[in-house]
Each structure stands twice: as structure tokens, then as C-alpha cells.
Amino acid sequence: MKSKILTITMNPSIDKSTSVDCLLAEKKLKCSEPKSEPGGGGINVSRVIKRLGNDTIAAYLSGGYNGKLLKQLLIKENIKTKAITCFNNTRENLNVFDQKNKLQYRFLMPSATIFENEWKKLISEIERVSNIEYLVCSGSIPIGIPDDILRTIYSIAKMKKIKLIVDSSGNPLKEIIKDSVYLLKPNINELSSLIGKETLSTNDATSLAKSFVSKGICEIMVISLGEEGALLIEKESVHKISPPSIIKLSTVGAGDSMVAGIVSKLADKKEILEAVKYGVACGTAAAMNQGTELCYKADADQLFLNISSTEIV
Ligand SMILES: Nc1ncnc2c1ncn2[C@@H]1O[C@H](COP(=O)(O)OP(=O)(O)OP(=O)(O)O)[C@@H](O)[C@H]1O
Ligand SMILES: [Mg+2]
């Protein structure tokens, strides 16, 4: 099977998870055997796409000992990679589960600084790709990379007629709305920050998304709403997509699982409504899993049967 989906991760990580009986200051805490997993927005999207049975290539910037480990971990999961080797060591994040209080602590390390020649190599790689239909940019942008990098990627995607899907926040999101991407997937908080507001009601978020779509800022917007599911805004319609209620264990990776579900179905030539319903199923499936665990296909397929959608006028 040819890979139609390329994911881009500029700020990947090794995500190390462990647990302690109880997280206490000043004490020596005995940790359980740590588990290392590949991490970072696009990489997570690629890992889920693979679990869903689709093919993908993960392009990313990495360096040092952790960069090598990242590659090994991705090879173990049979994920095709295009790694750009950088001078600085890739960051390692730490997740610690407090068994007694059933709380997950997430320590995010600063990004490795990336040099101009390094991110430009990534751009050149994207310029060289062929037969790609969907390009997914997800995750934060590390120190050293300009905030408008997504615009550079957009111009390449446009030239190559590749559909660009963006799941970003902050300044990179502010930049990319100057262009005209295929699909934007903010959560409702990212959308409100974009317009300088603390919160947005679902109605206001819908109106804002409609204005984005009518201005051509994006063809499609999917606003994720956590346990409430998502809104799908297209030029002629708005749908609210609702998952069944579940017992939530951890929402880590829910957004990436959702994006993976959407793009995986789109690559299989499914309609956008079905794709987003499946995305909501994948996000919900991820929320059913403990810790950093992403979604599993069997759970997503089962949940998909009970996802409802209503058209909002
Ligand atoms: N508490 C929850 N219960 C059930 N499903 C959830 C929950 N949180 C998230 N989801 C599912 O995951 C999808 C994406 O979640 P969310 O809106 O939290 O994305 P996000 O904020 O981008 O996530 P992330 O923190 O991974 O970036 C939701 O549309 C929903 O399907
Ligand atoms: Mg997100």
C-alpha cells in the first residue's frame, strides 16, 4: 500500500511513563519500570493511523541519543520515517502516575533548539515528496523555527495539490489563518485564544468557524469539544457529532487520535461527515485508555457504531 499521508512533527519527544505509590516532595520515590514511547503531535497521528490499518510516513526533526531512540521506537511500530538529524538532543517528557490519588502528572521539557539549516532540510524533504494526498501538521513549534513555518509548508502543499490539515495553537495557528488550508482542527480553547477571548460558547465558536469557512481561511473546520465530541463546519452545513458516554481514564493523545481517525477515513475516500464521526470515535477510544496510551482500532470501531450526528441550522 502506498502512503498517502505524511505527518510533520517539528517538536517530537520521547515520552517516558512511570508510576509511584504517592507523589510526595522531599522523599525518595520508588518508580515502576519506566516505559518509553515516541511522542509529538504528528508522530502520534502516524502511530494511530498505523493502528487503524492505514499507511503513513512520519517526517520529523530529531537529534542526539533521544533522536536515535525515537527512530528505533518508530521502527518497532513499523512506521515509515523521514528523520532530519539535528545537532541538539530531542527532549524527553516525563509522565508520573500517582497510584494512591489516581492522578497523572505530566512534565514537559523545553524543546531542543533547532538551527535554520535543519528546519530548511525538513522543508526540502517536503518539497521532494510524491504521491502524498494529505499532509498533517500537528504539535508545537520548537525554539529556532519561525512561527510562520506552517505558511511555508502550505505554499508547498498548494503547489503539489496536497490537502493540508493543521492541528496547532498560539502563534503558528494565528499565522496559518492568513492562508487557505483544507482542514483546521482547533479545540474550543485554542479557537477562543485565537481571537483573544478566554472562553467561547458553542454558538459563538460555530459562528466564528462559519466566518472562517466563508472567507476561505479553511475549507473545513473541526472544533473538538472534549467529552462533548466535535463540531464539523463546512460551507453549507454545520454538524454536531456526539460520542456515547464512557468512563474516562486519560485524555492524553485524544486530539491526535481524533485527527488520525479523520485523515485515515479521508484517505480511504470516505465523506467528511463519516471521517469526523470516526475521528470522534478514535478520540473517545483514546480517552478510555490509561496514561499516554493512544486509541485502539477495536475500541474505535465499536464506539463508531454509537456516534450520533445532528445538523445544526
Ligand atoms: N473526557 C472525554 N471523554 C470522552 N471523550 C473525550 C474526552 N476528551 C476528549 N475526548 C474525545 O477526543 C476528542 C478530542 O478531544 P479534545 O477536544 O480534548 O482535543 P484536544 O484538546 O485537541 O486534545 P489534546 O489534549 O490531545 O490535544 C473529542 O472530540 C472526543 O471525541
Ligand atoms: Mg489538541
Side-chain angles (χ1 to χ4, degrees):
M1 197 190 338
K2 270 223 174 269
S3 307
K4 295 182 199 161
I5 309 165
L6 176 71
T7 67
I8 310 280
T9 312
M10 285 174 254
N11 197 12
S13 56
I14 296 291
D15 289 344
K16 192 176 257 186
S17 303
T18 187
S19 64
V20 292
D21 289 340
C22 182
L23 198 66
L24 292 170
E26 310 290 343
K27 298 274 179 212
K28 285 183 180 172
L29 303 173
K30 288 218 167 109
C31 299
S32 65
E33 187 64 41
K35 184 179 172 200
S36 290
E37 282 174 288
I43 284 179
N44 282 337
V45 173
S46 275
R47 294 174 68 209
V48 175
I49 291 171
K50 190 79 197 171
R51 288 184 188 186
L52 297 176
N54 243 318
D55 206 12
T56 162
I57 304 169
Y60 58 89
L61 295 160
S62 66
Y65 170 78
N66 286 334
K68 286 189 183 127
L69 178 59
L70 185 60
K71 178 111 189 182
Q72 282 168 14
L73 292 170
L74 288 168
I75 288 171
K76 244 195 208 166
E77 294 188 23
N78 284 319
I79 292 169
K80 289 185 198 141
T81 59
K82 270 190 200 297
I84 308 299
T85 305
C86 300
F87 178 76
N88 286 318
N89 194 22
T90 296
R91 67 192 168 133
E92 180 182 81
N93 296 328
L94 180 65
N95 302 293
V96 181
F97 187 66
D98 176 327
Q99 308 258 26
K100 186 173 168 207
N101 298 301
K102 304 264 174 284
L103 290 172
Q104 178 88 25
Y105 291 86
R106 301 176 69 189
F107 300 93
L108 302 185
M109 303 301 156
S111 72
T113 299
I114 303 295
F115 296 107
E116 187 175 348
N117 66 317
E118 296 170 341
W119 64 259
K120 286 196 165 159
K121 266 191 218 156
L122 177 67
I123 296 294
S124 306
E125 278 294 340
I126 303 170
E127 276 167 339
R128 270 200 291 274
V129 296
S130 56
N131 301 316
I132 294 293
E133 280 179 32
Y134 294 94
L135 186 55
V136 181
C137 290
S138 174
S140 53
I141 309 282
I143 301 161
I145 299 189
D147 283 340
D148 64 358
I149 184 139
L150 296 180
R151 300 196 67 192
T152 308
I153 294 174
Y154 168 75
S155 64
I156 303 167
K158 190 177 173 198
M159 210 169 57
K160 290 177 157 279
K161 299 194 171 25
I162 300 173
K163 289 177 172 163
L164 181 62
I165 297 178
V166 173
D167 181 357
S168 192
S169 57
N171 287 339
L173 181 57
K174 276 193 186 135
E175 284 295 323
I176 198 63
I177 61 167
K178 294 175 184 165
D179 285 316
S180 185
V181 302
Y182 171 64
L183 191 153
L184 277 180
K185 201 297 284 171
N187 65 32
I188 195 152
N189 297 325
E190 290 160 348
L191 195 59
S192 49
S193 302
L194 186 64
I195 56 158
K197 288 203 169 179
E198 240 169 56
T199 53
L200 267 183
S201 67
T202 311
N203 279 347
D204 289 346
T206 306
S207 306
L208 183 63
K210 272 181 163 174
S211 75
F212 275 31
V213 172
S214 67
K215 284 182 201 153
I217 290 171
C218 55
E219 201 173 303
I220 295 159
M221 189 180 285
V222 176
I223 307 171
S224 63
L225 306 169
E227 65 186 326
E228 290 191 33
L231 291 161
L232 163 63
I233 298 96
E234 297 172 86
K235 201 163 203 159
E236 305 294 340
S237 66
V238 176
H239 286 88
K240 167 100 197 284
I241 295 153
S242 310
S245 65
I246 53 138
I247 297 169
K248 180 205 86 175
L249 288 184
S250 156
T251 59
V252 180
D256 293 331
S257 295
M258 176 188 219
V259 172
I262 296 172
V263 68
S264 186
K265 285 286 174 193
L266 289 174
D268 285 344
K269 307 259 180 275
K270 301 292 181 202
E271 295 291 332
I272 184 70
L273 179 58
E274 180 176 343
V276 177
K277 281 169 88 173
Y278 195 67
V280 169
C282 290
T284 310
M288 282 168 33
N289 290 333
Q290 195 129 44
T292 55
E293 197 50 85
L294 301 166
C295 98
Y296 284 101
K297 185 174 187 297
D299 296 332
D301 288 348
Q302 187 61 39
L303 284 162
F304 180 65
L305 304 174
N306 293 306
I307 303 280
S308 62
S309 69
T310 39
E311 186 158 5
I312 303 173
V313 221

